[in-house]
Amino acid sequence: MALLEVKDLDVRFAVRGGDLTALRGISFSLDKGERLGLVGESGAGKSVAAFSILNLIAMPGYIAGGQILYKGRDLAAMSERELRKIRGNRIAMIFQDPMMTLNPVLTIGTQMVEAIQAHRKISRKDARAIALDRLQKVQIPSPGKRLDQYPHELSGGMRQRVIIAIALLLDPEIIIADEPTTALDVTIQAEIMDLLLDLCEQENVALMLITHDLGVVSQVTQRMLVMYSGRIIEQGPTREIINDAQHPYTQGLINALPQMGEPGQRLFQIPGSMPSLKNVPTGCPFHPRCSFATDQCTRMMPEYVRSGNVDVACYEVANLIEQERRMQEAES
Amino acid sequence: MTTATVSRWDRFRESFVWYSFKRDKVAIISFLVLLLMVLAAIFAPLLAPANPYDLAQINIMNSEMPPVGLDGADPAFPLGTDAQGRDLLSTILYGTRVSLMIGFGAVLLQAVLGILFGLMAGYLGGKVDAILMRIADVQLSFSTLMVAIIVGAVFKASFGNLMFGEIAIYMLIFIIGIAEWPQIARTVRASVLAEKKKEYVEAARVMGFGTRRIMFRHILPNTLSPIFVIATVQIANAIISEAALSFLGLGMPETQPSLGSLIKSGFDYIQSGSWWITLIPGLVLVVLVLVINLLGDWLRDVMNPRLYKG
C-alpha cells in the first residue's frame, strides 16, 4: 500500500457567482522514501494541491470531493484534532520564502522546542537537545548559537536550513517542499537542494517537490506529475517524461528550456498563457494554446491513456496510440 | 540565568528603541519626569510629611495655609494646606498614587479585554468578528462619562457614601476599563488581520499547532508594538477621565482624594484667595498627562513599522 494516496481530489473555491474549481480529479500516490516532482506554470494548482494534502485549504477554498489516504486513513474526512496530530508530525511542509516562514519575534530555539512539544510530551531540555541535533544535521555553522538567535539574525540560506531542520524535528514520513529554493541565491539553491535530498535519503522520508524548475525535477525525482489548470495532464517516471514527453504541454515546457550548445537560437515559447480559473476553456483546458488541437479537444475533457509507463490526458496521444495499435494489427 | 539576562540587556542596548531614545531629548525628559512621579507616588507613604488619610493628624486650625514663600506660610506645609487642614504636598503625593493606580488599572483591564476580543475577532473572523465588533461599536457609542455618571450614581445610591469611598477606586477602574476596551480591540484586530496573512502563521498551522497557540503565542507577540503605543495614550486618557469624574463629584471621595477630587475640593475656595489648593494639583495632573502623551508620541514614531522594520 502506498504511504499517501490521493484519489479523485476536487478542490473548489466558493466565490461570488459560483464555485471555481482549482483542482479537478487529482489522483496520485507516494511511496515510502519516494521522491515525487510536481511541476506546472504559476497558477496550475501546485500549491493548492500541497495544502489540500494537509487539509489546510482555508475558506473560501474547500475539498469538494475525493480522498486523501495517508496509510489508509482519509485526511479529507478527519477531525481537526486528529489532523493536527499528523500535520508537522507525520507530514511536514517547507515553504518557498524562508524570510517569511519563521516567526520574527521568537528565537529559533523557542520555535523548534515549541514544534516538538506540540506533538510530544517531552521536557524543554530534551526538546532542545533534539533541536540541536537537527541543526547539526542541516550543517548550519555553530548550531548551538543559532538556538538563541532570532530569524532576522540569519541569512536566507541559513534560515532555509533552519526550516529544513524544523521539518525534520519529528521524524516525518513525508516532506512536502513547495519551491524550497526559489527565494534563494542561485549559488545557495544547489546546496540546499542537495542537503534536502541527502537528508530525505538518510531518514527514508518521502519527498514531494513542488517546483517549476524542470532541471531540478529531472535530477532528483523518480516520478513526476505535470499540472495544468488544476488537472494532472501527465504523470509517470521522471526519466520517461523528460526524455519523451507525450502531452503537447509537457513537450512545450521541455522545449522552452535553454539548451546547451545551441547559441543564437530563440527559445521556444508556448503561445498564450494559463487560463484563469474564472473561464477555463471547455474540453481540454490546454486546447487554445495547443497546436494539435482538434474539434474533439474543445468538447470533452480527455481521459487518461497509458503510453509506456506514463499516464497522459490528451486526444492526440490517444489517437497516435490507437493508430500504432492498428498498424501493428495490420502487420500481423 | 545571569548570562541570559546580560545578553537581553545587551540586546536592548543595541536596539533601535534605545538608540532613538538616547537621541530624543523630549523622550528622555518625559521619561525622567514620569519616573520621578511614579516613584514619588509609589513611595508616597515614606516621602509624604503627613498621612492625609489619618484623621488624627489633621488640625482644622491649619486650614488654607498658603505655600512657602507667601505671607502666613508654615514651613511644616511646603505647598500649603487645603480647606480641611491637610498638608497639600502629602495629599498630592497620595492623590497622584490614586490617579496612577486608576490609570494603569483601567488600561490593564482594557488591554486584557481588548487583546482577547481583538485577537478572537481578527483571527477567527466571520461571525465571531461581526458580533464582537458590533458590541464594540455599541460600547463606543456611549460616552465614557455618561456611562460612568450613571453607574457611579447607581453605586453611590445603593452602597451609601461610606461604602462607596472604599470601592470607588475599583469602580472607576472597572468603568473606565469597560468603556474604553474597544479602542484596543480595534487596534489589535487590525494588526491581527495583517499578521494572519503572513506565511509564518501558515507555517504554524502546517506544524499542527492549535488555534489558541497560534493566536497567543505567534500572532500576539507580533502585534505588541501598536498595543504598547495605544496603551500609553490610553493611560493618559484614563487619568483624565478619572479626574473629570472626580471633578464632577462622581469619582474618588475627598477622604481619599485623587488629583481630580483635589482640584474639585479646592475649586470652592478659589474665589476666597486659596488658589493653590486647585492650581497645584492641577499642574501636577497636566504635567503627568503631558509626559505620558509625549512618551506615547515618541513610542509611536519608534514602533512605526515603516520606520522600524523597513
Side-chain angles (χ1 to χ4, degrees):
Chain A
M1 187 179 60
L3 186 60
L4 180 78
E5 196 170 4
V6 176
K7 282 185 186 165
D8 265 329
L9 183 66
D10 276 351
V11 172
R12 297 203 185 127
F13 283 84
V15 292
R16 220 171 294 168
D19 284 5
L20 299 179
T21 305
L23 295 183
R24 193 190 301 259
I26 299 287
S27 299
F28 65 89
S29 66
L30 182 65
D31 287 323
K32 199 162 174 53
E34 190 184 22
R35 293 196 296 269
L36 178 70
L38 180 50
V39 295
E41 278 172 277
S42 304
K46 306 185 300 277
S47 298
V48 173
F51 275 104
S52 308
I53 290 171
L54 286 167
N55 197 348
L56 260 179
I57 284 294
M59 284 311 282
Y62 66 99
I63 295 179
Q67 289 178 308
I68 304 155
L69 299 171
Y70 166 74
K71 289 186 167 169
R73 300 201 301 160
D74 188 4
L75 299 186
M78 213 178 252
S79 74
E80 188 65 25
R81 180 181 287 267
E82 278 180 285
L83 274 169
R84 241 185 258 148
K85 286 185 195 152
I86 290 176
R87 289 181 194 147
N89 188 13
R90 308 319 314 145
I91 305 179
M93 193 158 165
I94 296 172
F95 290 93
Q96 180 174 350
D97 193 349
M99 304 293 168
M100 303 293 296
T101 36
L102 290 167
N103 190 330
V105 299
L106 301 177
T107 61
I108 306 294
T110 312
Q111 299 189 46
M112 295 181 83
V113 166
E114 198 181 356
I116 300 173
Q117 286 183 329
H119 293 285
R120 285 187 200 164
K121 284 206 184 328
I122 189 172
S123 75
R124 247 189 77 79
K125 215 178 132 202
D126 292 346
R128 251 179 102 87
I130 296 178
L132 188 65
D133 171 70
R134 298 303 188 272
L135 284 180
Q136 279 160 351
K137 269 196 184 145
V138 296
Q139 296 157 19
I140 208 163
S142 42
K145 197 174 121 198
R146 306 295 166 212
L147 283 176
D148 293 317
Q149 282 184 320
Y150 287 90
H152 69 89
E153 295 175 90
L154 305 183
S155 71
M158 278 204 271
R159 278 188 235 186
Q160 199 61 310
R161 281 175 198 269
V162 168
I163 286 165
I164 294 174
I166 290 178
L168 290 170
L169 273 179
L170 294 144
D171 309 309
E173 287 174 289
I174 302 173
I175 291 181
I176 301 171
D178 188 354
E179 309 199 18
T181 58
T182 314
L184 299 176
D185 203 315
V186 186
T187 49
I188 312 285
Q189 282 187 359
E191 244 174 69
I192 296 288
M193 191 53 80
D194 285 346
L195 174 76
L196 186 58
L197 290 176
D198 284 350
L199 289 170
C200 286
E201 205 148 283
Q202 268 173 41
E203 317 277 322
N204 198 21
V205 181
L207 176 69
M208 187 166 155
L209 182 68
I210 299 172
T211 177
H212 35 228
D213 189 343
L214 277 172
V216 172
V217 169
S218 69
Q219 281 164 31
V220 308
T221 64
Q222 291 140 358
R223 282 193 319 117
M224 67 185 275
L225 317 173
V226 184
M227 284 189 74
Y228 186 81
S229 193
R231 255 197 134 207
I232 295 176
I233 50 146
E234 185 160 6
Q235 78 168 295
T238 307
R239 185 155 301 170
E240 259 179 72
I241 293 181
I242 296 288
N243 290 340
D244 183 21
Q246 301 294 316
H247 198 284
Y249 176 64
T250 320
Q251 287 170 356
L253 284 183
I254 291 169
N255 289 337
L257 287 178
Q259 301 287 330
M260 290 285 224
E262 292 169 37
Q265 224 176 5
R266 266 190 98 82
L267 287 177
F268 175 77
Q269 218 179 346
I270 304 175
S273 58
M274 175 100 63
S276 100
L277 286 180
K278 275 182 201 136
N279 43 12
V280 181
T282 53
C284 172
F286 187 60
H287 83 255
R289 304 170 71 186
C290 182
S291 49
F292 302 100
T294 60
D295 253 9
Q296 193 183 17
C297 299
T298 62
R299 268 182 257 119
M300 278 266 290
M301 187 91 88
E303 294 294 317
Y304 290 104
V305 288
R306 187 156 265 254
S307 155
N309 295 312
V310 179
D311 288 317
V312 196
C314 179
Y315 288 120
E316 174 69 14
V317 177
N319 292 341
L320 283 177
I321 292 172
E322 185 66 16
Q323 269 175 28
E324 221 164 285
R325 196 178 59 81
R326 275 202 210 121
M327 270 162 66
Q328 273 170 2
E329 267 175 22
E331 270 173 34
S332 60
Chain B
M1 197 58 218
T2 3
T3 51
T5 40
V6 166
S7 76
R8 276 262 154 100
W9 174 239
D10 287 343
R11 231 183 254 278
F12 174 70
R13 290 209 341 195
E14 284 164 16
S15 72
F16 179 69
V17 177
W18 179 242
Y19 173 83
S20 105
F21 182 73
K22 276 191 303 191
R23 248 140 253 262
D24 192 335
K25 285 204 180 75
V26 177
I28 296 179
I29 293 170
S30 303
F31 181 74
L32 289 178
V33 172
L34 181 64
L35 190 70
L36 194 75
M37 292 177 103
V38 170
L39 287 179
I42 291 172
F43 296 110
L46 300 175
L47 294 172
N51 181 357
Y53 296 168
D54 186 359
L55 294 174
Q57 290 184 18
I58 302 172
N59 186 345
I60 194 69
M61 296 306 287
N62 291 335
S63 67
E64 294 188 57
M65 293 258 214
V68 170
L70 293 173
D71 280 350
D74 184 333
F77 306 113
L79 294 180
T81 58
D82 69 0
Q84 298 173 39
R86 291 185 293 196
D87 174 36
L88 204 53
L89 174 64
S90 314
T91 324
I92 288 174
L93 285 173
Y94 275 85
T96 313
R97 191 178 155 102
V98 171
S99 286
L100 281 172
M101 264 165 70
I102 292 173
F104 279 100
V107 170
L108 193 70
L109 182 62
Q110 283 172 29
V112 170
L113 291 174
I115 289 173
L116 188 68
F117 293 152
L119 265 179
M120 279 166 57
Y123 187 70
L124 302 177
K127 272 184 197 146
V128 180
D129 183 23
I131 292 170
L132 285 176
M133 284 302 112
R134 288 308 80 74
I135 294 175
D137 289 343
V138 171
Q139 183 74 64
L140 278 183
S141 52
F142 291 111
S143 136
T144 310
L145 285 182
M146 193 182 83
V147 176
I149 288 169
I150 295 169
V151 176
V154 169
F155 268 57
K156 225 170 185 171
S158 46
F159 288 101
N161 261 345
L162 206 66
M163 183 74 176
F164 181 78
E166 279 168 33
I167 59 160
I169 191 164
Y170 304 108
M171 188 201 73
L172 284 167
I173 290 176
F174 180 75
I175 292 174
I176 299 172
I178 292 288
E180 297 273 313
W181 70 265
Q183 303 282 4
I184 292 186
R186 284 180 167 186
T187 312
V188 173
R189 175 176 172 271
S191 7
V192 170
L193 285 180
E195 288 297 323
K196 88 170 176 181
K197 293 204 186 78
K198 297 198 177 158
E199 269 191 38
Y200 71 87
V201 177
E202 206 126 82
R205 298 206 309 144
V206 165
M207 273 186 245
F209 293 163
T211 309
R212 233 174 305 160
R213 187 191 283 263
I214 294 177
M215 264 169 35
F216 288 98
R217 189 92 173 103
H218 291 257
I219 295 184
L220 180 59
N222 281 295
T223 59
L224 278 183
S225 17
I227 296 178
F228 271 130
V229 174
I230 196 161
T232 316
V233 177
Q234 287 294 86
I235 289 176
N237 284 348
I239 290 174
I240 292 183
S241 298
E242 182 279 324
L245 284 171
S246 297
F247 188 76
L248 294 173
L250 291 155
M252 296 304 292
E254 281 183 31
T255 48
Q256 299 175 42
S258 69
L259 290 174
S261 32
L262 269 178
I263 295 171
K264 182 200 177 240
S265 73
F267 202 64
D268 300 337
Y269 301 92
I270 207 164
Q271 298 289 346
S272 57
S274 306
W275 47 266
W276 57 87
I277 308 176
T278 285
L279 189 68
I280 299 174
L283 280 177
V284 172
L285 179 71
V286 169
V287 170
L288 181 63
V289 170
L290 181 68
V291 294
I292 295 176
N293 274 329
L294 287 174
L295 271 179
D297 273 356
W298 166 78
L299 209 58
R300 194 191 54 212
D301 289 345
V302 171
M303 299 213 168
N304 184 340
R306 259 172 296 176
L307 292 175
Y308 179 46
K309 286 173 190 158

